[in-house]
Tab-separated table of all heavy atoms in Angstrom:
chain	number	residue	atom	x	y	z
A	1344	LEU	N	19.874	306.729	111.514
A	1344	LEU	CA	21.174	307.402	111.499
A	1344	LEU	C	21.023	308.853	111.049
A	1344	LEU	O	21.791	309.728	111.458
A	1344	LEU	CB	22.156	306.664	110.584
A	1344	LEU	CG	22.562	305.276	111.039
A	1344	LEU	CD1	23.451	304.621	109.994
A	1344	LEU	CD2	23.266	305.322	112.383
A	1345	GLY	N	20.044	309.056	110.152
A	1345	GLY	CA	19.673	310.399	109.724
A	1345	GLY	C	20.785	311.213	109.118
A	1345	GLY	O	21.700	310.694	108.500
A	1346	SER	N	20.684	312.465	109.308
A	1346	SER	CA	21.611	313.390	108.665
A	1346	SER	C	23.033	313.320	109.231
A	1346	SER	O	23.959	313.809	108.606
A	1346	SER	CB	21.090	314.821	108.781
A	1346	SER	OG	20.995	315.197	110.131
A	1347	PHE	N	23.197	312.687	110.399
A	1347	PHE	CA	24.526	312.602	110.997
A	1347	PHE	C	25.536	311.916	110.079
A	1347	PHE	O	26.662	312.367	109.943
A	1347	PHE	CB	24.459	311.879	112.340
A	1347	PHE	CG	25.783	311.778	113.027
A	1347	PHE	CD1	26.353	312.890	113.629
A	1347	PHE	CD2	26.470	310.582	113.056
A	1347	PHE	CE1	27.579	312.805	114.256
A	1347	PHE	CE2	27.702	310.484	113.677
A	1347	PHE	CZ	28.258	311.591	114.279
A	1348	PHE	N	25.106	310.824	109.426
A	1348	PHE	CA	26.002	310.080	108.551
A	1348	PHE	C	25.766	310.370	107.069
A	1348	PHE	O	26.403	309.759	106.214
A	1348	PHE	CB	25.870	308.574	108.782
A	1348	PHE	CG	26.559	308.113	110.025
A	1348	PHE	CD1	25.819	307.671	111.102
A	1348	PHE	CD2	27.935	308.114	110.120
A	1348	PHE	CE1	26.446	307.231	112.260
A	1348	PHE	CE2	28.577	307.683	111.265
A	1348	PHE	CZ	27.824	307.243	112.339
A	1349	ASN	N	24.892	311.278	106.743
A	1349	ASN	CA	24.534	311.521	105.348
A	1349	ASN	C	25.751	311.788	104.466
A	1349	ASN	O	25.925	311.161	103.428
A	1349	ASN	CB	23.548	312.687	105.257
A	1349	ASN	CG	23.007	312.874	103.869
A	1349	ASN	OD1	22.951	311.941	103.083
A	1349	ASN	ND2	22.604	314.083	103.559
A	1350	LYS	N	26.602	312.689	104.866
A	1350	LYS	CA	27.748	313.030	104.014
A	1350	LYS	C	28.743	311.884	103.890
A	1350	LYS	O	29.416	311.746	102.886
A	1350	LYS	CB	28.440	314.280	104.525
A	1350	LYS	CG	29.026	314.159	105.909
A	1350	LYS	CD	29.623	315.478	106.362
A	1350	LYS	CE	30.061	315.365	107.818
A	1350	LYS	NZ	30.501	316.614	108.354
A	1351	TYR	N	28.825	311.017	104.897
A	1351	TYR	CA	29.759	309.886	104.825
A	1351	TYR	C	29.232	308.766	103.931
A	1351	TYR	O	29.977	308.218	103.130
A	1351	TYR	CB	30.032	309.339	106.228
A	1351	TYR	CG	30.602	310.365	107.161
A	1351	TYR	CD1	29.877	310.821	108.252
A	1351	TYR	CD2	31.869	310.896	106.944
A	1351	TYR	CE1	30.402	311.775	109.117
A	1351	TYR	CE2	32.402	311.855	107.797
A	1351	TYR	CZ	31.660	312.285	108.872
A	1351	TYR	OH	32.178	313.231	109.710
A	1352	ILE	N	27.980	308.428	104.073
A	1352	ILE	CA	27.409	307.320	103.308
A	1352	ILE	C	27.310	307.666	101.830
A	1352	ILE	O	27.660	306.861	100.976
A	1352	ILE	CB	26.043	306.912	103.889
A	1352	ILE	CG1	26.253	306.287	105.267
A	1352	ILE	CG2	25.329	305.934	102.973
A	1352	ILE	CD1	24.994	306.064	106.037
A	1353	THR	N	26.816	308.841	101.520
A	1353	THR	CA	26.668	309.198	100.110
A	1353	THR	C	28.013	309.359	99.414
A	1353	THR	O	28.084	309.298	98.198
A	1353	THR	CB	25.846	310.491	99.935
A	1353	THR	OG1	26.461	311.538	100.674
A	1353	THR	CG2	24.418	310.300	100.371
A	1354	SER	N	29.079	309.508	100.171
A	1354	SER	CA	30.385	309.659	99.531
A	1354	SER	C	31.002	308.322	99.131
A	1354	SER	O	31.912	308.296	98.312
A	1354	SER	CB	31.338	310.432	100.451
A	1354	SER	OG	31.639	309.670	101.596
A	1355	PHE	N	30.519	307.192	99.674
A	1355	PHE	CA	31.134	305.918	99.295
A	1355	PHE	C	30.148	304.779	99.043
A	1355	PHE	O	30.568	303.674	98.715
A	1355	PHE	CB	32.175	305.485	100.330
A	1355	PHE	CG	31.618	305.149	101.682
A	1355	PHE	CD1	31.121	303.889	101.948
A	1355	PHE	CD2	31.611	306.087	102.698
A	1355	PHE	CE1	30.616	303.570	103.197
A	1355	PHE	CE2	31.113	305.784	103.950
A	1355	PHE	CZ	30.613	304.515	104.198
A	1356	ASP	N	28.834	304.984	99.157
A	1356	ASP	CA	27.896	303.880	98.948
A	1356	ASP	C	28.003	303.296	97.548
A	1356	ASP	O	27.888	302.099	97.345
A	1356	ASP	CB	26.459	304.296	99.270
A	1356	ASP	CG	25.875	305.292	98.290
A	1356	ASP	OD1	26.649	305.995	97.607
A	1356	ASP	OD2	24.639	305.369	98.220
A	1357	HIS	N	28.252	304.143	96.574
A	1357	HIS	CA	28.369	303.685	95.194
A	1357	HIS	C	29.599	302.801	95.000
A	1357	HIS	O	29.573	301.867	94.207
A	1357	HIS	CB	28.390	304.880	94.243
A	1357	HIS	CG	29.361	305.953	94.622
A	1357	HIS	ND1	29.123	306.839	95.661
A	1357	HIS	CD2	30.586	306.254	94.136
A	1357	HIS	CE1	30.155	307.661	95.774
A	1357	HIS	NE2	31.054	307.325	94.862
A	1358	TRP	N	30.669	303.052	95.715
A	1358	TRP	CA	31.865	302.213	95.616
A	1358	TRP	C	31.613	300.833	96.210
A	1358	TRP	O	32.032	299.818	95.643
A	1358	TRP	CB	33.052	302.884	96.314
A	1358	TRP	CG	33.588	304.054	95.548
A	1358	TRP	CD1	33.396	305.377	95.825
A	1358	TRP	CD2	34.379	304.013	94.350
A	1358	TRP	NE1	34.021	306.157	94.883
A	1358	TRP	CE2	34.633	305.337	93.962
A	1358	TRP	CE3	34.884	302.971	93.578
A	1358	TRP	CZ2	35.377	305.661	92.833
A	1358	TRP	CZ3	35.627	303.291	92.452
A	1358	TRP	CH2	35.870	304.623	92.089
A	1359	ILE	N	30.939	300.794	97.339
A	1359	ILE	CA	30.616	299.508	97.959
A	1359	ILE	C	29.720	298.695	97.032
A	1359	ILE	O	29.968	297.507	96.794
A	1359	ILE	CB	29.943	299.708	99.332
A	1359	ILE	CG1	30.928	300.337	100.318
A	1359	ILE	CG2	29.419	298.391	99.886
A	1359	ILE	CD1	30.311	300.781	101.625
A	1360	SER	N	28.673	299.311	96.496
A	1360	SER	CA	27.778	298.617	95.569
A	1360	SER	C	28.538	298.099	94.363
A	1360	SER	O	28.372	296.949	93.949
A	1360	SER	CB	26.659	299.554	95.102
A	1360	SER	OG	25.818	299.896	96.167
A	1361	PHE	N	29.383	298.952	93.792
A	1361	PHE	CA	30.146	298.563	92.610
A	1361	PHE	C	31.051	297.368	92.892
A	1361	PHE	O	31.056	296.385	92.151
A	1361	PHE	CB	30.981	299.750	92.101
A	1361	PHE	CG	31.946	299.378	91.010
A	1361	PHE	CD1	31.489	299.061	89.746
A	1361	PHE	CD2	33.304	299.326	91.260
A	1361	PHE	CE1	32.369	298.698	88.738
A	1361	PHE	CE2	34.195	298.969	90.262
A	1361	PHE	CZ	33.733	298.656	89.000
A	1362	VAL	N	31.807	297.420	93.974
A	1362	VAL	CA	32.753	296.340	94.291
A	1362	VAL	C	32.014	295.025	94.547
A	1362	VAL	O	32.376	293.977	94.001
A	1362	VAL	CB	33.652	296.726	95.490
A	1362	VAL	CG1	34.428	295.532	96.005
A	1362	VAL	CG2	34.600	297.850	95.099
A	1363	LEU	N	30.962	295.065	95.364
A	1363	LEU	CA	30.243	293.832	95.673
A	1363	LEU	C	29.595	293.233	94.432
A	1363	LEU	O	29.690	292.021	94.189
A	1363	LEU	CB	29.198	294.084	96.770
A	1363	LEU	CG	29.756	294.396	98.157
A	1363	LEU	CD1	28.625	294.763	99.108
A	1363	LEU	CD2	30.553	293.225	98.704
A	1364	LEU	N	28.916	294.056	93.630
A	1364	LEU	CA	28.284	293.540	92.417
A	1364	LEU	C	29.323	293.071	91.403
A	1364	LEU	O	29.114	292.067	90.716
A	1364	LEU	CB	27.360	294.589	91.807
A	1364	LEU	CG	26.087	294.875	92.608
A	1364	LEU	CD1	25.344	296.065	92.029
A	1364	LEU	CD2	25.188	293.656	92.662
A	1365	ALA	N	30.454	293.754	91.307
A	1365	ALA	CA	31.507	293.331	90.382
A	1365	ALA	C	32.088	291.982	90.798
A	1365	ALA	O	32.316	291.109	89.948
A	1365	ALA	CB	32.604	294.385	90.300
A	1366	VAL	N	32.308	291.778	92.088
A	1366	VAL	CA	32.842	290.499	92.567
A	1366	VAL	C	31.862	289.365	92.251
A	1366	VAL	O	32.257	288.308	91.747
A	1366	VAL	CB	33.154	290.567	94.085
A	1366	VAL	CG1	33.383	289.189	94.680
A	1366	VAL	CG2	34.360	291.456	94.336
A	1367	ILE	N	30.600	289.578	92.538
A	1367	ILE	CA	29.590	288.560	92.239
A	1367	ILE	C	29.531	288.319	90.733
A	1367	ILE	O	29.488	287.172	90.271
A	1367	ILE	CB	28.209	288.972	92.792
A	1367	ILE	CG1	28.248	289.031	94.315
A	1367	ILE	CG2	27.131	287.993	92.338
A	1367	ILE	CD1	27.066	289.750	94.936
A	1368	GLY	N	29.539	289.387	89.941
A	1368	GLY	CA	29.492	289.268	88.488
A	1368	GLY	C	30.695	288.546	87.917
A	1368	GLY	O	30.561	287.695	87.030
A	1369	ILE	N	31.875	288.855	88.421
A	1369	ILE	CA	33.095	288.182	87.950
A	1369	ILE	C	33.042	286.693	88.279
A	1369	ILE	O	33.411	285.848	87.453
A	1369	ILE	CB	34.352	288.864	88.533
A	1369	ILE	CG1	34.541	290.236	87.882
A	1369	ILE	CG2	35.591	287.997	88.343
A	1369	ILE	CD1	35.563	291.119	88.571
A	1370	ASN	N	32.555	286.358	89.462
A	1370	ASN	CA	32.403	284.945	89.814
A	1370	ASN	C	31.428	284.244	88.873
A	1370	ASN	O	31.659	283.101	88.475
A	1370	ASN	CB	31.956	284.785	91.263
A	1370	ASN	CG	33.073	285.045	92.242
A	1370	ASN	OD1	34.248	284.915	91.907
A	1370	ASN	ND2	32.722	285.431	93.449
A	1371	MET	N	30.354	284.910	88.510
A	1371	MET	CA	29.398	284.313	87.562
A	1371	MET	C	30.034	284.158	86.190
A	1371	MET	O	29.809	283.153	85.509
A	1371	MET	CB	28.130	285.159	87.473
A	1371	MET	CG	27.244	285.031	88.678
A	1371	MET	SD	25.641	285.786	88.413
A	1371	MET	CE	24.910	284.565	87.339
A	1372	LEU	N	30.818	285.136	85.761
A	1372	LEU	CA	31.522	285.021	84.476
A	1372	LEU	C	32.463	283.819	84.489
A	1372	LEU	O	32.517	283.052	83.521
A	1372	LEU	CB	32.316	286.290	84.178
A	1372	LEU	CG	31.527	287.485	83.662
A	1372	LEU	CD1	32.420	288.717	83.583
A	1372	LEU	CD2	30.928	287.184	82.302
A	1373	LYS	N	33.208	283.643	85.575
A	1373	LYS	CA	34.117	282.498	85.692
A	1373	LYS	C	33.348	281.190	85.578
A	1373	LYS	O	33.778	280.261	84.901
A	1373	LYS	CB	34.875	282.550	87.020
A	1373	LYS	CG	35.960	283.580	87.079
A	1373	LYS	CD	36.639	283.543	88.438
A	1373	LYS	CE	37.651	284.635	88.594
A	1373	LYS	NZ	38.244	284.665	89.942
A	1374	GLU	N	32.210	281.109	86.252
A	1374	GLU	CA	31.396	279.899	86.213
A	1374	GLU	C	30.849	279.650	84.814
A	1374	GLU	O	30.813	278.519	84.340
A	1374	GLU	CB	30.251	279.990	87.217
A	1374	GLU	CG	30.711	279.931	88.650
A	1374	GLU	CD	29.623	280.289	89.635
A	1374	GLU	OE1	28.448	280.408	89.230
A	1374	GLU	OE2	29.948	280.453	90.817
A	1375	GLY	N	30.410	280.706	84.151
A	1375	GLY	CA	29.868	280.570	82.804
A	1375	GLY	C	30.913	280.163	81.779
A	1375	GLY	O	30.614	279.443	80.827
A	1376	LEU	N	32.145	280.611	81.974
A	1376	LEU	CA	33.228	280.291	81.045
A	1376	LEU	C	33.944	278.988	81.394
A	1376	LEU	O	34.706	278.467	80.593
A	1376	LEU	CB	34.242	281.441	81.002
A	1376	LEU	CG	33.703	282.759	80.444
A	1376	LEU	CD1	34.702	283.879	80.653
A	1376	LEU	CD2	33.341	282.606	78.976
A	1377	SER	N	33.690	278.476	82.581
A	1377	SER	CA	34.336	277.249	83.038
A	1377	SER	C	33.817	276.051	82.251
A	1377	SER	O	32.640	275.947	81.916
A	1377	SER	CB	34.058	277.043	84.525
A	1377	SER	OG	34.510	275.779	84.943
A	1378	LYS	N	34.719	275.124	81.972
A	1378	LYS	CA	34.342	273.877	81.286
A	1378	LYS	C	33.735	272.881	82.265
A	1378	LYS	O	33.144	271.908	81.865
A	1378	LYS	CB	35.572	273.250	80.603
A	1378	LYS	CG	36.234	274.150	79.594
A	1378	LYS	CD	35.330	274.408	78.428
A	1378	LYS	CE	36.043	275.297	77.423
A	1378	LYS	NZ	35.162	275.892	76.480
A	1379	ASP	N	33.895	273.118	83.545
A	1379	ASP	CA	33.369	272.238	84.578
A	1379	ASP	C	31.879	272.505	84.752
A	1379	ASP	O	31.482	273.494	85.355
A	1379	ASP	CB	34.119	272.466	85.892
A	1379	ASP	CG	33.743	271.465	86.967
A	1379	ASP	OD1	32.997	270.517	86.668
A	1379	ASP	OD2	34.203	271.645	88.113
A	1380	SER	N	31.040	271.633	84.238
A	1380	SER	CA	29.600	271.874	84.243
A	1380	SER	C	28.960	271.725	85.617
A	1380	SER	O	27.856	272.174	85.841
A	1380	SER	CB	28.901	270.931	83.257
A	1380	SER	OG	29.103	269.591	83.650
A	1381	GLU	N	29.631	271.072	86.551
A	1381	GLU	CA	29.060	270.887	87.877
A	1381	GLU	C	29.303	272.073	88.792
A	1381	GLU	O	28.748	272.148	89.876
A	1381	GLU	CB	29.636	269.623	88.516
A	1381	GLU	CG	29.193	268.357	87.820
A	1381	GLU	CD	29.740	267.137	88.507
A	1381	GLU	OE1	29.822	267.144	89.751
A	1381	GLU	OE2	30.076	266.190	87.820
A	1382	LYS	N	30.145	272.987	88.390
A	1382	LYS	CA	30.521	274.103	89.249
A	1382	LYS	C	29.600	275.294	88.999
A	1382	LYS	O	29.827	276.099	88.113
A	1382	LYS	CB	31.974	274.484	88.987
A	1382	LYS	CG	32.569	275.361	90.040
A	1382	LYS	CD	34.036	275.573	89.780
A	1382	LYS	CE	34.661	276.349	90.908
A	1382	LYS	NZ	36.044	276.686	90.622
A	1383	THR	N	28.524	275.389	89.781
A	1383	THR	CA	27.603	276.514	89.672
A	1383	THR	C	27.384	277.115	91.052
A	1383	THR	O	27.566	276.455	92.064
A	1383	THR	CB	26.237	276.078	89.092
A	1383	THR	OG1	25.664	275.098	89.954
A	1383	THR	CG2	26.389	275.510	87.689
A	1384	ASP	N	26.968	278.356	91.064
A	1384	ASP	CA	26.727	279.030	92.335
A	1384	ASP	C	25.251	278.953	92.674
A	1384	ASP	O	24.522	279.926	92.582
A	1384	ASP	CB	27.199	280.488	92.261
A	1384	ASP	CG	27.081	281.185	93.607
A	1384	ASP	OD1	26.966	280.495	94.630
A	1384	ASP	OD2	27.098	282.420	93.616
A	1385	SER	N	24.826	277.761	93.043
A	1385	SER	CA	23.427	277.593	93.418
A	1385	SER	C	23.264	277.658	94.932
A	1385	SER	O	22.221	277.325	95.458
A	1385	SER	CB	22.897	276.262	92.881
A	1385	SER	OG	23.662	275.198	93.402
């Protein structure tokens, strides 16, 4: 893709990473705090 998309990707890649990792992290927090021991994200 090269320099054609450089200004577009660098302007929002950090937001995509943050949202995806936060969603996964929040789901793990829910599982860790859940009393249901069988509910894991394996």
